[in-house]
Amino acid sequence: LLKKASLIIRKNFPEMKIMLHIDRGDNGTLSTWFFNIIKNNNIDYDIIGLSYYSYWNGKNLQNVGKNIRDLKKRFSKDVCIVETSYMWTLNWKDNCNNIAGTKAQLIDKYPATPEGQKNYLHDICDITYLSGGCGIFWWEPTAVASKNFPSSIENTAWFDFDNNYNNTGDVFLNFK
């Protein structure tokens, strides 16, 4: 399926970059296993995409950097963090349970505050950049809850429960 999709994209959109994505941003063993399968099956792609969520994966950001460096070297591909987020609060506004929101899910260095969220983004950007990564994306900065739109990730958005921007995204101004 991936091989056929890649061939179709190359034929119809030759200038388009193809990214293959795995949700193991801090796990070098599983990332390498997956991309070895891709390589052994001669699947054409340009960029390795990784998700990293400290509340599902490990809490050591240095493992993310190590994985980026290793994958970049091993497969000669750009590597990008295509999904990450962190909590600015452990509370919620709506009646939808949040995916993340317990003290056990926090990294000690980053409290569940707007400043903790911003510091987390700064550090994951810094690690990605210094490890040779080509970019980072936050999932999902605008996932605020409203009357007709409950959100299970409202506490990882860049807006408080009154929809005031908390400045987390300003971190990207430091990375070009």
Side-chain angles (χ1 to χ4, degrees):
L1 184 62
L2 288 174
K3 188 178 233 178
K4 186 70 169 177
S6 178
L7 290 170
I8 290 169
I9 292 167
R10 290 287 188 231
K11 178 181 176 189
N12 294 297
F13 306 98
E15 66 285 340
M16 185 178 289
K17 300 278 187 184
I18 298 172
M19 179 186 295
L20 296 182
H21 172 217
I22 188 171
D23 65 343
R24 305 295 175 176
D26 70 328
N27 189 320
T29 302
L30 288 175
S31 296
T32 299
W33 169 81
F34 177 78
F35 285 101
N36 273 330
I37 291 171
I38 298 300
K39 180 180 178 180
N40 293 338
N41 284 282
N42 297 313
I43 297 171
D44 182 23
Y45 70 104
D46 303 296
I47 303 168
I48 292 173
L50 301 172
S51 291
Y52 172 70
Y53 296 96
S54 62
Y55 40 90
W56 287 325
N57 305 120
K59 294 183 181 182
N60 186 338
L61 297 183
Q62 298 306 317
N63 289 340
V64 177
K66 182 177 185 261
N67 196 22
I68 290 170
R69 285 188 302 277
D70 181 59
L71 292 170
K72 187 174 173 71
K73 180 180 177 184
R74 185 182 302 264
F75 298 103
S76 299
K77 303 288 184 182
D78 283 331
V79 181
C80 183
I81 300 295
V82 296
E83 290 183 33
T84 194
S85 69
Y86 197 79
M87 302 151 283
W88 63 267
T89 183
L90 299 179
N91 296 321
W92 58 89
K93 178 181 180 178
D94 57 15
N95 61 357
C96 180
N97 288 332
N98 291 335
I99 291 171
T102 68
K103 288 183 181 181
Q105 294 171 315
L106 295 173
I107 299 173
D108 290 340
K109 184 177 177 182
Y110 311 106
T113 63
E115 191 66 25
Q117 183 189 62
K118 188 174 183 177
N119 290 338
Y120 166 85
L121 178 57
H122 178 275
D123 289 355
I124 194 73
C125 282
D126 197 43
I127 286 166
T128 299
Y129 172 74
L130 293 173
S131 300
C134 66
I136 189 164
F137 297 85
W138 191 271
W139 188 267
E140 158 54 55
T142 61
V144 296
S146 67
K147 181 180 176 186
N148 296 317
F149 184 80
S151 174
S152 62
I153 55 174
E154 63 187 335
N155 66 330
T156 64
W158 291 348
F159 299 85
D160 67 17
F161 295 148
D162 295 318
N163 297 325
N164 297 304
Y165 176 59
N166 70 11
N167 300 313
T168 294
D170 292 356
V171 166
F172 286 128
L173 299 172
N174 299 317
F175 297 90
K176 302 201 187 296

